[in-house]
Amino acid sequence: MIEVAAEPYPFKLDPERTALVVIDMQRDFVEHGGFGAALGNDVTRLQAIIPAVAEIIALFRAKGWPILHTRECHRPDLSDCPPSKRLRGEGAGLRIGDTGAMGRLLVRGEPGAAIIPECAPLDGEMVVDKPGKGMFCNTDVEAMLHERGITHLVFTGVTTEVCVQTSMREANDRGFECLLMTDCTESYFAAYKAAVISMVTAQGGIVGWATDLAALSSAVK
Ligand code: C5J
């Protein structure tokens, strides 16, 4: 076991059983003209973490440890997008499936649904299209992780309080040991990111642990 300095106390990482999870580093959330921007958000906040996410991906690749990339997106006929999701956000502008500057918003295969080049998956890495905010909802993620013997998950990506937090909570409930990388995740709202870090680590790590890239890098080198 490798001990990583973390909150609320050191995280014990099993190098044989740990995967990096990179949530939704897609053009639709990170770039101007995508879904996040259509909701009125400042996407530059998310762009700031791109170098750190690229660095942790490189670290896991160097170690030969598995990486799971997710993309929040729907089938072109939107049959996997419940009306409650599609119609949410009255007056917020474009909706899921509408055509924006990078094609149809959050639709599989459209330019906006692609992972940004700096974080793009390599052949052999796990890539999952998820129709929900959480990565276990209507996906094969749980089976894929169990098949590989993975028990420990290191969470990165966007947005902290939506898809990252939901996925981490789902994972925690399924028995995975979860570590949130505070400088490799970001929200459109600084206060929400801070709140997530406090919430998941409170009460003795009720959802998991939190650390930063410097602490993880020095522990695993
Ligand atoms: C959102 C996500 N914010 N990936 N999705 O709708 O967090």
Side-chain angles (χ1 to χ4, degrees), residues 24 29 35 72 133 158-159 162-163:
D24 302 355
F29 294 109
F35 179 68
E72 181 182 350
K133 302 304 181 192
V158 298
T159 60
V162 185
C163 291

Side-chain angles (χ1 to χ4, degrees), residues 29-96:
F29 294 109
V30 174
E31 293 187 14
H32 297 283
F35 179 68
L39 295 177
N41 296 304
D42 173 12
V43 295
T44 60
R45 286 189 50 81
L46 274 47
Q47 291 170 4
I49 62 156
I50 294 171
V53 179
E55 192 178 328
I56 195 168
I57 290 172
L59 176 68
F60 272 67
R61 283 179 184 152
K63 292 278 170 196
W65 295 347
I67 303 177
L68 165 63
H69 304 260
T70 69
R71 296 182 292 222
E72 181 182 350
C73 55
H74 297 275
R75 297 191 186 116
D77 65 2
L78 302 185
S79 57
D80 58 353
C81 183
S84 62
K85 183 176 184 188
R86 169 157 160 77
L87 300 177
R88 197 68 55 83
E90 190 67 38
L94 296 174
R95 297 181 190 279
I96 294 169

